Amino acid sequence: MTKTNKALSQLGMAMRAGKLITGDEIVLKAVRAGKAHLVILAGDASDNTKKKFRDKCGTYGIQLAEAFDREQLGRAIGKPERVVLAVTDLQFGKMIGSHLSQNTEVDPIEQQTGQQG
């Protein structure tokens, strides 16, 4: 199982455990309230959405990962397409974040397009 597949299956586990929220406004609220530990943004989100979450997560010091596409994110949590998810549990956040990138903290992550550096 690749690291990214592992992250997707862990998103499913977090969802079943009730430690995952989804949807623009709900995620933004959680970020502002300090309840989000990791925000995952679909790589095919609009530039506007990406900027909004980069800015918010940067302001509040929350790790942001740009990964997968909206279809993969939705499938991972058993829902229709999802553009943004937030993990509300610290342990799940660390576990999933560790599979997404080695860029830590709030640097916007420009990856998941398959090119090797």
Side-chain angles (χ1 to χ4, degrees):
M1 192 182 265
T2 66
K3 274 184 158 235
T4 50
N5 287 353
K6 204 165 191 150
L8 285 170
S9 73
Q10 289 170 345
L11 282 173
M13 283 192 320
M15 183 71 181
R16 290 188 295 281
K19 307 292 186 191
L20 196 81
I21 55 174
T22 165
D24 263 39
E25 287 311 309
I26 297 166
V27 170
L28 280 175
K29 236 179 238 167
V31 167
R32 283 195 288 263
K35 288 185 167 61
H37 294 284
L38 170 68
V39 173
I40 299 172
L41 195 55
D44 58 352
S46 72
D47 289 343
N48 238 357
T49 301
K50 287 181 181 181
K51 181 180 179 352
K52 178 168 59 177
F53 282 97
R54 276 189 196 128
D55 292 351
K56 260 312 166 228
C57 290
T59 302
Y60 289 91
I62 292 168
Q63 186 178 350
L64 172 69
E66 239 175 78
F68 313 113
D69 60 36
R70 59 185 74 203
E71 207 172 275
Q72 289 172 301
L73 289 177
R75 203 174 323 123
I77 63 169
K79 301 257 188 243
E81 298 180 349
R82 289 292 185 260
V83 173
V84 65
L85 309 171
V87 180
T88 56
D89 177 82
L90 183 60
Q91 294 319 108
F92 268 115
K94 285 180 175 173
M95 182 172 72
I96 295 166
S98 73
H99 292 293
L100 290 178
S101 90
Q102 299 318 310
N103 292 3
T104 51
E105 292 334 288
V106 285
D107 298 331
I109 298 161
E110 306 290 351
Q111 66 176 62
Q112 297 308 119
T113 49
Q115 64 272 60
Q116 301 297 311

